[in-house]
Amino acid sequence: MQVVFHCGVHGTDLYRMVKTLLQNRDWLLRNGVEPVTPNRHHEVFNEALSALRGGPATPEMEQVMLDAILNSDNPRRVICSTPTFLGKASRAISPEGLYAAAGEKMAALANLFPSAEVEFFLGLKNPATLVSFILSQEGSGSYAELMAGIDPEALRWGPAIRRILAALPGRRLVVWCHEDTSLIWPEVVRSISTMPADVPLKAGLQILGDILHPDGIRMIREAMAQEERLTVASRRRIFAAALEKHAQPEQIEVELNLPGWTQQMVDRITAAYDADMAEIAALPGVEFLTP
């Protein structure tokens, strides 16, 4: 059995993955894939993680958890998706960097199902907008409390992903940039669900619907209908054209009004993020999804 954990990060998903998978539930179940909603696995996993303290579950414990979370019999692939797998948003930032405890938390998740083939999916986010998102969450405190003197420019994804890889030897790790999600969402969903390209994907435009004027969605549907053979490249071209013409600025532009931050600092953080993404994409053990 394959067990898949989609772990966020915070501010990148808002449970869209769960919603999209549930829209395609009929095909998934017919093909041995079961998406598990957070309300089914949350308590079960929390209790097991607390009891195991990072150690591996026994075969009996594995079976008890599967019986508790699954509706189907013996699926070949089980998908669990929630940003809280990586803990509270406010703990994403520490003097050790971004998501310092992520590798340990993900290894503990893998140990819930030692007999399974465990995979991890992770959408990454520009640290500049990540800090802003975390501050918007309840319980994150003030900017001074969150950052505790940490230099925002020290928040880098390269070291974070290297730590995660070191904690998950031999595990599949699929990564993409949140900022690319609107262009690559169908590929992300198909990759996590193993849906072939020739199977119609329901709710494949869901993310674009959040950021486009309705005219943009109409433009996409009409353009896709006119394609004799819709390929990934032609679909991305259609998506990009619609985003250029019909994107709603208030939905895609994040206003950063953080103490002491300047546009120059944001530009430097963004440039470092881009450099980290290029480095991460080349790391052995990482599957990097790009437009």
Side-chain angles (χ1 to χ4, degrees), residues 48-49 60 75 113 116 118 130 138 145 165 168 170 184-185 189 259 278 281:
L49 289 166
E60 294 77 17
F113 300 100
V118 179
L130 177 62
E138 195 176 331
E145 289 167 334
L165 285 171
L168 302 171
I184 64 172
W185 185 240
V189 176

Side-chain angles (χ1 to χ4, degrees), residues 32-44:
V33 181
E34 181 167 347
V36 181
T37 55
N39 64 322
R40 284 187 69 84
H41 67 62
H42 179 73
E43 203 169 308
V44 175

Side-chain angles (χ1 to χ4, degrees), residues 18-252:
V18 172
K19 293 172 185 172
T20 304
L21 292 174
L22 290 179
Q23 290 276 337
N24 294 275
R25 186 177 170 84
D26 290 348
W27 184 91
L28 294 173
L29 290 177
R30 277 200 312 274
N31 289 273
V33 181
E34 181 167 347
V36 181
T37 55
N39 64 322
R40 284 187 69 84
H41 67 62
H42 179 73
E43 203 169 308
V44 175
F45 287 176
N46 278 359
E47 282 183 17
L49 289 166
S50 178
L52 292 167
R53 297 176 180 272
T58 63
E60 294 77 17
M61 197 171 179
E62 277 188 272
Q63 195 56 55
V64 167
M65 284 188 283
L66 290 171
D67 289 345
I69 67 172
L70 296 179
N71 284 318
S72 59
D73 295 327
N74 301 316
R76 63 177 176 84
R77 189 171 177 86
V78 177
I79 306 172
C80 306
S81 169
T82 174
T84 56
F85 281 142
L86 297 182
K88 292 180 179 177
S90 58
R91 293 187 185 153
I93 294 169
S94 70
E96 291 75 39
L98 286 175
Y99 290 95
E104 183 184 328
K105 287 182 180 295
M106 292 160 79
L109 287 170
N111 272 338
L112 292 178
F113 300 100
S115 67
E117 196 179 312
V118 179
E119 304 177 6
F120 291 92
F121 282 68
L122 205 57
L124 306 183
K125 189 175 175 68
N126 186 333
T129 57
L130 177 62
V131 170
S132 182
F133 175 82
I134 291 170
L135 280 170
S136 73
Q137 301 304 289
E138 195 176 331
S140 291
S142 67
Y143 177 81
E145 289 167 334
L146 175 69
M147 297 302 289
I150 297 164
D151 178 2
E153 294 186 53
L155 301 176
R156 302 288 297 262
W157 277 114
I161 295 298
R162 287 182 183 278
R163 284 195 299 268
I164 288 169
L165 285 171
L168 302 171
R171 303 291 188 188
R172 185 183 184 207
L173 178 64
V174 181
V175 174
W176 64 96
C177 293
H178 171 62
E179 294 77 15
D180 294 335
T181 305
S182 57
L183 290 176
I184 64 172
W185 185 240
E187 283 77 64
V188 173
V189 176
R190 290 184 188 281
S191 181
I192 202 169
S193 66
T194 68
M195 283 184 82
D198 59 351
V199 173
L201 176 67
K202 296 175 184 174
L205 301 180
Q206 187 176 43
I207 284 189
L208 285 166
D210 294 343
I211 58 177
L212 283 178
H213 186 275
D215 287 348
I217 296 294
R218 276 194 291 275
M219 175 180 167
I220 288 172
R221 293 193 191 284
E222 289 169 7
M224 286 170 66
Q226 289 169 12
E227 289 286 321
E228 192 172 320
R229 182 174 167 270
L230 189 67
T231 64
V232 170
S234 60
R235 184 182 47 67
R236 287 181 184 171
R237 187 190 70 244
I238 291 166
F239 283 11
L243 283 164
E244 191 175 340
K245 193 169 183 183
H246 294 291
Q248 301 185 80
E250 69 277 10
Q251 297 296 334
I252 55 175

